[in-house]
Amino acid sequence: MKPFAYTSDPVRVIFGRGTLDKVAGEVRRLGCSRALVLSTPQQKTEAADLAQRLGPLAAGIFSEATMHTPVDVTERALKIVESVKADCTVALGGGSTTGLGKAIALRTDLPQIVIPTTYAGSEATAIIGETKDGVKITQRTLKVLPEVIIYDVDLNMTLPVALTATSGMNAIAHAVEALYAQDQNPVTSLMAEEGVRALARALPIIVERPNDPEARSDALYGAWLCGTCLNAVGMALHHKLCHTLGGSFDLPHAETHTVVIPHATAYNAAAAPEAMRRIAAALGARDAAQGLHDLAKRLGAPTSLAALGMKEDGIDKAADLAVKNPYWNPRPIDRAGIRRLIDNAFHGRAPTP
Ligand code: NAD
């Protein structure tokens, strides 16, 4: 066994079906009595239902959570926090809503309960990315780590199949990079492999039968494991590339991860053979990168950046940006290789090393 360091951050996790019933008890357990419920405009009804369940424990609802956590939205939410005298937040939704709860916690230290309804994994991390004047700044601080995560499988039943597929691939991407991380450790690698296995098993079933409770449960469990990996170890080429592509070309988050992950995996394959073996085994495939590409196709998910709206003249710009700031990656970053990767991803070709 190689020497390693492993840090587990403090978080309470409740997992199951019908666990929305437990939110009130968790608010009290935190010593709180005035929860501000957060959601996106699209999940306003669910937020209102939750506030009703909470009864006097709900101090209000703020339903303006937006992708990439814009600071002006956070400032509006802070005014509500103050006016209703909230003493905790309950974020019901995907990474966008979780991001708003984190942004509030960053500025107020209010405890957070997060009820994730996608597989993005933000609920398990001490990472926050915020956007101001079009620039996204990401930081890591325990101030934003949610105190409680409540996974309710029933809430994920409504996640549309297309978003289920891409959000699930987004989760898998966290685990893939965890398996070849510079600070990889045996515990995180166990979670990563199991996370890929659970999602790769569940997602094709959900595409066929979106309301299958066992598959939905497996996928959500896998998403928690993958989110925990994202928090526990450093990410590399894939996450940096998706950040660059998303920010520079305004590409959608989960879809970009879905398209890029087979190609980033192929790029790193020769430099990380043990990770590749474990990813392939978890996917039930012979080759890790091809297995990821096949899984995305089987799920009917997008497989090309062109389909996400990127223009071909963006390939060189993306390659330039990707090699601009050096960072650790199992295989050193070389422009020609990165350009080939982006070109393959743009055209939706099979991944090549
Ligand atoms: P999202 O939260 O933006 O959700 C996408 C849409 O789906 C929203 O309209 C939402 O209301 C809706 N939705 C969510 N769950 C639903 C459900 N069960 N049924 C019906 N509709 C539902 O998407 P996301 O992919 O979860 O999050 C993306 C954001 O999270 C990005 O801004 C990304 O940067 C961030 N993120 C942050 C971290 C971190 O660690 N800080 C990790 C992953 C993602």
Side-chain angles (χ1 to χ4, degrees):
M1 171 87 43
K2 286 191 203 149
F4 65 89
Y6 171 70
T7 308
S8 76
D9 285 340
V11 59
R12 176 171 161 82
V13 176
I14 295 180
F15 188 97
R17 296 191 66 182
T19 48
L20 266 194
D21 285 347
K22 308 219 182 261
V23 182
E26 292 303 314
V27 170
R28 283 193 210 96
R29 196 174 174 278
L30 288 170
C32 298
S33 58
R34 298 191 61 75
L36 180 64
V37 178
L38 307 173
S39 78
T40 58
Q42 294 78 11
Q43 289 177 290
K44 205 174 176 168
T45 311
E46 289 84 346
D49 287 349
L50 175 58
Q52 204 170 16
R53 272 171 190 258
L54 288 175
L57 291 174
I61 303 172
F62 182 82
S63 291
E64 294 175 39
T66 310
M67 184 82 104
H68 304 311
T69 325
V71 170
D72 58 317
V73 174
T74 302
E75 281 164 0
R76 282 206 299 280
L78 285 168
K79 288 207 175 93
I80 308 292
V81 166
E82 213 175 281
S83 69
V84 304
K85 299 193 169 46
D87 58 6
C88 68
T89 57
V90 179
L92 184 145
S96 297
T97 308
T98 307
L100 175 61
K102 288 176 165 182
I104 293 172
L106 182 67
R107 292 159 177 86
T108 60
D109 265 336
L110 286 191
Q112 310 170 65
I113 297 174
V114 179
I115 307 166
T117 61
T118 69
Y119 307 128
S122 176
E123 67 279 3
T125 79
I127 304 164
I128 178 168
E130 297 185 278
T131 323
K132 192 171 183 189
D133 303 327
V135 180
K136 188 162 181 177
I137 296 177
T138 300
Q139 57 174 306
R140 176 184 281 274
T141 163
L142 277 176
K143 276 180 109 168
V144 305
L145 184 75
E147 279 70 10
V148 182
I149 310 173
I150 299 182
Y151 289 103
D152 189 331
V153 177
D154 292 337
L155 289 178
N156 286 79
M157 300 280 188
T158 57
L159 189 64
V161 163
L163 189 51
T164 297
T166 54
S167 194
M169 292 298 292
N170 181 190
I172 287 176
H174 307 327
V176 165
E177 293 234 291
L179 280 161
Y180 56 61
Q182 187 175 27
D183 51 351
Q184 62 175 277
N185 63 73
V187 179
T188 304
S189 294
L190 274 179
M191 288 192 272
E193 196 174 334
E194 177 63 5
V196 176
R197 185 168 288 117
L199 280 157
R201 186 174 56 218
L203 294 174
I205 300 174
I206 297 173
V207 168
E208 296 275 312
R209 298 191 302 277
N211 292 326
D212 186 304
E214 272 309 304
R216 284 286 185 186
S217 186
D218 266 5
L220 195 56
Y221 167 65
W224 168 49
L225 293 174
C226 294
T228 304
C229 294
L230 174 67
N231 188 47
V233 294
M235 298 288 112
L237 170 66
H238 169 77
H239 281 74
K240 299 284 191 289
L241 206 48
C242 289
H243 192 92
T244 302
L245 289 166
S248 310
F249 305 100
D250 200 24
L251 302 183
H253 178 83
E255 288 85 343
T256 306
H257 276 268
T258 303
V259 172
V260 173
I261 189 60
H263 302 282
T265 306
Y267 183 92
N268 283 326
E274 174 59 10
M276 296 301 137
R277 188 193 62 72
R278 294 182 77 160
I279 297 161
L283 291 168
R286 283 178 53 195
D287 177 81
Q290 188 61 44
L292 290 165
H293 187 68
D294 292 344
L295 178 61
K297 280 208 295 197
R298 193 172 163 202
L299 300 177
T303 52
S304 79
L305 293 173
L308 305 187
M310 186 174 154
K311 298 279 171 280
E312 192 158 8
D313 62 9
I315 296 174
D316 275 302
K317 184 182 168 198
D320 289 340
L321 289 170
V323 299
K324 213 168 162 190
N325 297 317
Y327 50 85
W328 186 87
N329 187 62
R331 172 179 159 189
I333 303 296
D334 73 273
R335 193 185 180 287
I338 296 295
R339 195 196 181 285
R340 194 174 330 112
L341 183 171
I342 299 170
D343 193 55
N344 282 340
F346 179 83
H347 291 284
R349 297 188 196 109
T352 52

